[in-house]
């Protein structure tokens, strides 16, 4: 139950396997972390978000990790940080989805946060007081105070009618004494006082009762099991993130050549109309994205350079707004024919030394995967041009002290697929490239959409605002979460059409937004390519797909089944209970190999029994929008070539511990599904 005590993770393994080894470690300790999460949170939606965020953050913060602290302690501290963040995030708190609290958690909810954390880590999670103090970043003495005050607060809750008149100077020693941590002479003095003081005797006895009650109630929490399929849902979200990361960018069309006579005419006109910069950059900047920013006067050419071990890094320009600080760079290998990219962006070998002084932490940097198909990145074998997102500036201007310590070598896939990046054999280039970059933030424009409401799959959808920033265009919208039978977990938008111009949604374009106007609405933002021009009069939103959870309870009494396999109908499919083998352990297997036109992707179920499961496994396939099936085991799966993939389970199995365990019933709560959309909604801005 204690993550710091079992199955230590190898830091070498993390470097080799990256996020997968982190997911495996969380999977190994999911029971312990699940209980820890419930001491802060109150529903499954929050719990899934908690595990997902923690895994992503451990991966992101890995370059900063120092081996001076055990990985288990470091990882747990990140988990606790996310517990705190989510416990105050009202957008994930829906009373309809809240579950009954364990009695111990109800009692702990009455404590101050610092007292509750000290109690949970010490008495429920089983950390030593020194480890818990390190996690909470308090001194050992402060840890003792928090435990003592927490127990006293619980005692007052449990015995509200009692009065406790123990001597104040001895109260702080109760824990030392009961945990047998006192030195011999102090223990003798303490016991002499207790022997002669009736009030302290009663106070100490009540204090000890609370500690014993904590231990008894802690044992009851063992019944709080991680639901079947919980980690699979977290993995599915991570898989979706990986799919988006590997998808290729669409080719940008290069501008056609202009007749020399037209160029001469425009150059002449430019001196009088201000069009000179536009024409100049049209002919002198080959990077179409940077050319666009320069033509709009949103950035300036910087061409800052730093070189180490034959690799030259050039910062070509920086465009900043309230959403992000976009760095456009070029990397050249001056000695060999290698292409290098920033290691998946900010945080992985890329750091801003003065981040806390000049940058806002109210948002997260965007992720931009390398553009492997563009002409400019296929022109020279030793040069790569890309972009990277940093946090936005706090003030209108500033100087960013950027340090790069690691670059990633670009290895094209041997299969020859255009634009495919080989993720299996990663090579890094270490060094140090430092820059001081002057930056000026550009303004953004917001358009209120007057909370216009439509429906997707019968669920209300509200449009809040359109934000046009220099580096991106953002549509903010809300999804109603009052209905619990069917709910939208995520909504994917294909494009926006503004002023007769279509702009595509960016990779990693959808995000959860923390600002919450109404507890019944979850707010999201989708990012699109930049948009400039005259004031928009109307917006057309074209949807792509919706990921839903459908609650549909179905119960099968297993005692009534006489032979296996046993089939039943659910969600429009014929599902088979292949077998239930009872012996030294019990194996339960569900399967459905029919994937054509299938309604559900994953079943959410529980098996009622007298023993806890010890092993869960699943098999599945990926099916694209056109019904083409991809076997997951046939790696590498060409995610970048799959159109709107669905991950369908074909086999879900559970193994229970103990001899002759006889499960009583199969309870299916519901299922997850994806609906492809082609809806277009028109929104007027006038």
């Amino acid at each position: 139950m204690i993550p710091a005590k079992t199955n230590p993770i190898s830091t070498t393994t993390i470097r080799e396997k990256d996020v997968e080894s982190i997911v495996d470690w969380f999977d190994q300790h999911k029971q312990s972390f699940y209980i820890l999460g419930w001491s802060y949170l109150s529903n499954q939606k929050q719990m899934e978000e908690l595990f997902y965020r923690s895994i992503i953050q451990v991966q992101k913060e890995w370059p900063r990790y120092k081996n001076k602290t055990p990985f288990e302690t470091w990882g747990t501290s990140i988990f606790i940080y996310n517990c705190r963040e989510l416990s105050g995030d009202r957008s994930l708190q829906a009373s309809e989805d809240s579950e009954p609290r364990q009695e111990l958690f109800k009692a702990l909810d009455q404590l101050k946060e610092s007292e509750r954390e000290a109690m949970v880590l010490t008495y429920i999670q089983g950390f030593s007081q020194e480890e818990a103090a390190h996690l909470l970043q308090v001194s050992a003495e402060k840890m003792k105070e928090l435990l003592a005050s927490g127990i006293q607060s619980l005692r007052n809750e449990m015995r509200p009618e009692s009065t406790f008149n123990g001597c104040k100077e001895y109260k702080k020693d109760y824990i030392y004494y009961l945990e047998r941590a006192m030195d011999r002479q102090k223990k003798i003095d303490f016991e002499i006082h207790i022997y002669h003081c009736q009030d302290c005797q009663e106070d100490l006895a009540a204090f000890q009762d609370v500690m014993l009650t904590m231990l008894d109630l802690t044992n009851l929490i063992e019944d709080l099991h991680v639901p079947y399929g919980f980690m699979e849902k977290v993995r599915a979200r991570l898989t979706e993130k990986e799919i988006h990361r590997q998808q290729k960018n669409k080719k940008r069309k290069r501008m056609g050549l202009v007749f020399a006579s037209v160029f001469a005419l425009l150059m002449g006109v430019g001196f009088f109309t201000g069009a000179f910069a536009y024409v100049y950059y049209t002919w002198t900047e080959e990077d179409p994205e940077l050319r666009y920013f320069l033509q709009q006067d949103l950035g300036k050419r910087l061409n800052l350079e730093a070189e180490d071990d034959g690799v030259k890094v050039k910062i070509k320009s920086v465009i900043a707004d309230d959403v992000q600080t976009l760095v456009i760079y070029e990397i050249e290998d001056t000695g060999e024919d290698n292409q290098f990219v920033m290691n998946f962006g900010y945080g992985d070998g890329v750091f801003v030394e003065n981040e806390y002084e000049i940058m806002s932490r109210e948002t997260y940097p965007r992720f931009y995967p390398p553009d492997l198909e563009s002409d400019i990145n296929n022109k020279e074998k030793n040069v790569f041009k890309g972009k990277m997102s940093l946090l936005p500036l706090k003030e209108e201007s500033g100087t960013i002290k950027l340090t790069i310590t690691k670059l990633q070598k670009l290895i094209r896939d041997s299969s020859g697929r255009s634009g495919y990046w080989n993720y299996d054999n990663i090579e890094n280039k270490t060094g140090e490239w430092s820059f001081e970059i002057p930056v000026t933030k550009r303004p953004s424009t917001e358009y209120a959409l007057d909370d216009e409401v439509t429906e997707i799959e019968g669920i209300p959808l509200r449009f809040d605002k359109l934000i046009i920033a220099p580096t991106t265009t953002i549509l903010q919208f809300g999804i109603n979460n009052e209905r619990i039978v069917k709910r939208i977990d995520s909504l994917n938008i294909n494009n926006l059409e503004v002023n007769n111009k279509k702009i595509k949604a960016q990779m990693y374009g959808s995000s959860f937004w923390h600002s919450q106007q109404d507890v019944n609405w979850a707010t999201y933002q989708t990012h699109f390519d930049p948009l400039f021009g005259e004031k928009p009069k109307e917006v057309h939103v074209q949807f792509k797909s919706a990921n839903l959870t459908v609650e549909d309870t179905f119960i099968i009494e297993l005692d009534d089944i006489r032979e296996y396999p046993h089939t039943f109908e659910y969600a429009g499919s014929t599902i088979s209970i292949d077998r239930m083998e009872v012996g030294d352990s019990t194996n339960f297997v569900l399967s459905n190999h029919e994937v054509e036109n299938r309604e559900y992707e994953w079943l959410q179920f529980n098996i009622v029994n007298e023993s806890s499961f010890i092993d869960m496994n699943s098999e599945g396939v990926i099916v694209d929008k056109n019904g083409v099936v991809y076997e997951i085991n046939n790696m590498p799966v060409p995610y970048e070539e799959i159109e709107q993939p669905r991950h369908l389970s074909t086999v879900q199995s559970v193994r229970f511990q103990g001899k002759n365990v006889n499960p009583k019933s199969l309870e299916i709560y519901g299922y997850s599904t994806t609906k492809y959309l082609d809806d277009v909604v028109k929104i007027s801005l006038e």
Side-chain angles (χ1 to χ4, degrees), residues 72-301:
E72 293 75 15
T73 304
W74 179 73
T76 303
S77 68
I78 289 177
F79 190 84
I80 291 172
Y81 171 83
N82 283 294
C83 285
R84 293 171 176 170
E85 289 284 300
L86 285 168
S87 65
D89 192 340
R90 294 186 61 200
S91 58
L92 283 174
Q93 296 174 1
S95 58
E96 295 87 353
D97 189 35
S98 298
E99 300 185 14
R101 301 283 278 164
Q102 293 273 344
E103 290 299 319
L104 177 55
F105 290 149
K106 287 182 181 179
L108 292 171
D109 286 345
Q110 310 305 313
L111 304 180
K112 297 177 181 177
E113 182 180 75
S114 56
E115 293 175 345
R116 184 180 73 244
E117 289 178 334
M119 300 280 280
V120 168
L121 291 174
T122 304
Y123 295 115
I124 296 179
Q125 294 299 107
F127 284 102
S128 69
Q129 290 186 23
E130 291 74 19
E131 291 169 329
H134 180 73
L135 284 168
L136 299 180
Q137 298 184 347
V138 299
S139 65
E141 188 63 28
K142 180 63 175 178
M143 189 68 190
K144 291 285 186 184
E145 294 176 10
L146 291 174
L147 290 174
S149 61
I151 292 174
Q152 288 172 11
S153 298
L154 281 180
R155 181 191 60 186
N156 296 337
E157 288 288 330
M158 295 166 61
R159 299 184 180 183
E161 74 287 347
S162 302
T163 56
F164 305 100
N165 300 311
C167 300
K168 182 177 180 180
E169 63 270 26
Y170 286 92
K171 288 178 181 289
K172 60 181 174 48
D173 295 327
Y174 289 169
I175 286 182
Y176 288 95
Y177 179 75
L178 293 173
E179 292 184 349
R180 300 179 180 179
M182 277 187 176
D183 60 60
R184 185 171 181 276
Q185 185 56 51
K186 190 170 184 178
K187 179 174 178 290
I188 292 173
D189 294 341
F190 181 86
E191 289 178 339
I192 290 174
H193 173 79
I194 294 295
Y195 181 81
H196 291 95
C197 181
Q198 183 68 28
D199 288 338
C200 281
Q201 289 177 22
E202 295 174 358
D203 200 5
L204 179 62
F207 196 98
Q208 185 177 26
D209 284 346
V210 174
M211 291 183 66
L212 293 174
T213 301
M214 278 283 296
L215 295 175
D216 290 338
L217 290 175
T218 300
N219 293 331
L220 295 177
I221 292 181
E222 295 296 335
D223 295 331
L224 183 63
H225 293 296
V226 182
Y228 182 76
F230 177 85
M231 285 302 295
E232 279 68 23
K233 293 183 73 172
V234 176
R235 285 180 185 272
R237 289 186 64 186
L238 293 166
T239 299
E240 183 180 358
K241 184 175 185 292
E242 177 67 7
I243 289 172
H244 286 306
R245 187 171 69 86
Q246 295 189 24
Q247 287 178 333
K248 59 189 176 181
N249 279 341
K250 296 291 184 180
K251 275 191 173 182
R252 294 179 178 271
K253 294 183 178 179
R254 301 188 67 185
M255 296 181 66
L257 294 176
V258 183
F259 289 106
S261 58
V262 176
F263 173 73
L265 175 63
L266 288 175
M267 288 288 286
V269 173
F271 286 106
F272 300 99
T273 65
F276 176 75
Y278 186 92
V279 176
Y280 173 76
Y281 290 124
T282 298
W283 287 92
T284 62
E285 180 53 59
E286 66 172 350
D287 183 339
E289 186 168 27
L290 177 55
R291 180 171 63 233
Y292 179 80
F293 287 124
L294 295 175
Q295 289 172 336
Q296 300 294 330
D297 195 28
L298 296 172
K300 296 180 179 179
R301 277 184 171 153

Side-chain angles (χ1 to χ4, degrees), residues 9-20:
I9 193 166
S10 165
T11 55
T12 303
T13 301
I14 290 184
R15 291 191 184 98
E16 293 174 351
K17 295 186 179 179
D18 204 21
V19 71
E20 191 59 33

Side-chain angles (χ1 to χ4, degrees), residues 463 466 475 493-503 528 536-543 679-685:
F463 295 101
L466 179 71
L475 178 66
I493 300 175
N494 190 33
N495 61 61
L496 293 183
E497 183 176 335
V498 184
N499 295 343
N500 297 317
K501 178 182 179 181
K502 286 187 177 181
I503 50 176
F528 301 82
K537 298 178 181 179
E538 63 181 28
V539 178
H540 292 84
V541 184
Q542 183 176 40
F543 294 99
D679 307 55
V680 177
V681 177
K682 176 183 174 182
I683 307 171
S684 176
L685 275 70

Side-chain angles (χ1 to χ4, degrees), residues 239-240 242-250 373 417-420 492 494 504 507 544-545 620-648 674 676:
T239 299
E240 183 180 358
E242 177 67 7
I243 289 172
H244 286 306
R245 187 171 69 86
Q246 295 189 24
Q247 287 178 333
K248 59 189 176 181
N249 279 341
K250 296 291 184 180
E373 280 201 323
R417 288 198 298 269
S418 175
Y420 185 76
N492 303 306
N494 190 33
K504 298 288 290 184
M507 293 184 183
K544 188 175 185 179
S545 63
V621 296
I622 292 175
V623 181
D624 72 6
K625 184 178 180 180
N626 301 313
V628 179
V629 178
Y630 299 82
E631 295 291 339
I632 296 178
N633 293 330
N634 295 338
M635 297 300 287
V637 175
Y639 289 121
E640 77 289 350
E641 298 175 5
I642 302 177
E643 183 180 3
Q644 299 192 52
R646 297 176 68 199
H647 188 184
L648 273 59
T674 296
Y676 296 121

